[in-house]
């Protein structure tokens, strides 16, 4: 059975998660000596965290903008990261393996009947009583 979510779940999670991250970044900036920037980020993070915990409905519009931005950013990043991974990592690796004759999936085994024998322990019916 699916657990029923609160009607303000998105706003609450936005306020708590983004507010906490901004407070952590502000703490890091204070540690690095960048006080003015830390004050701004810490103030915004504190407001988001408090509103997320007490009045999440006030975060309706900032949350909607944030989730829309996250969807667009995820769409673009997925295309960029997957393209780079394929073009820079997978395609050259596949070409090198083809040149040197490596077959990591063992697709071209010599004299392979298509079946591999199962281990002896699987033939014992008691094996299924305690599989782990």
């Amino acid at each position: 059975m699916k657990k029923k979510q609160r009607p303000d779940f998105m706003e609450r999670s936005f306020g708590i998660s983004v507010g906490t991250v901004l407070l952590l970044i502000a703490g890091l900036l204070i540690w690095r000596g960048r006080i003015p920037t830390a004050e701004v980020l810490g103030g915004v993070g504190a407001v988001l965290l408090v509103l997320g915990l007490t009045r999440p409905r006030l975060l309706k519009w900032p949350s909607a903008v944030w989730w829309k931005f996250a969807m667009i950013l995820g769409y673009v990043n997925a295309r960029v990261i997957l393209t780079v991974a394929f073009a820079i990592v997978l395609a050259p690796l596949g070409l090198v393996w083809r040149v040197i004759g490596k077959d990591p999936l063992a697709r071209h085994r010599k004299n392979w009947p298509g079946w591999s024998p199962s281990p002896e322990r699987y033939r014992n019916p008691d094996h299924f009583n305690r599989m782990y």
Side-chain angles (χ1 to χ4, degrees), residues 94-105:
L95 291 173
V96 168
W97 281 356
R98 184 170 288 216
V99 167
I100 65 173
K102 182 172 178 162
D103 187 16
L105 296 178

Side-chain angles (χ1 to χ4, degrees), residues 2-11 13 57:
K2 187 176 179 181
K3 186 177 178 182
K4 189 173 180 180
Q5 286 184 347
R6 296 174 60 144
D8 57 0
F9 173 76
M10 298 289 280
E11 293 83 12
S13 71
R57 298 211 183 225

Side-chain angles (χ1 to χ4, degrees), residues 40-70:
V40 172
L41 285 180
V44 173
V47 168
L48 287 175
L49 185 61
V50 168
L51 286 177
L53 291 171
T54 59
R55 302 269 187 235
R57 298 211 183 225
L58 293 176
L59 297 174
K60 179 180 180 181
W61 294 110
S63 174
V65 170
W66 178 261
W67 287 110
K68 187 66 171 175
F69 173 71

Side-chain angles (χ1 to χ4, degrees), residues 7 10 16-17 24 28 35 41-42 44 46 57 59 62 79 81 92-93 99-100 103 106 114-115 119 121 125 127:
M10 298 289 280
I16 293 172
S17 61
L24 290 174
L28 179 68
I35 305 299
L41 285 180
V44 173
R57 298 211 183 225
L59 297 174
R79 271 56 179 182
I81 291 170
L93 185 64
V99 167
I100 65 173
D103 187 16
W115 294 96
R121 65 184 177 140
H127 166 74

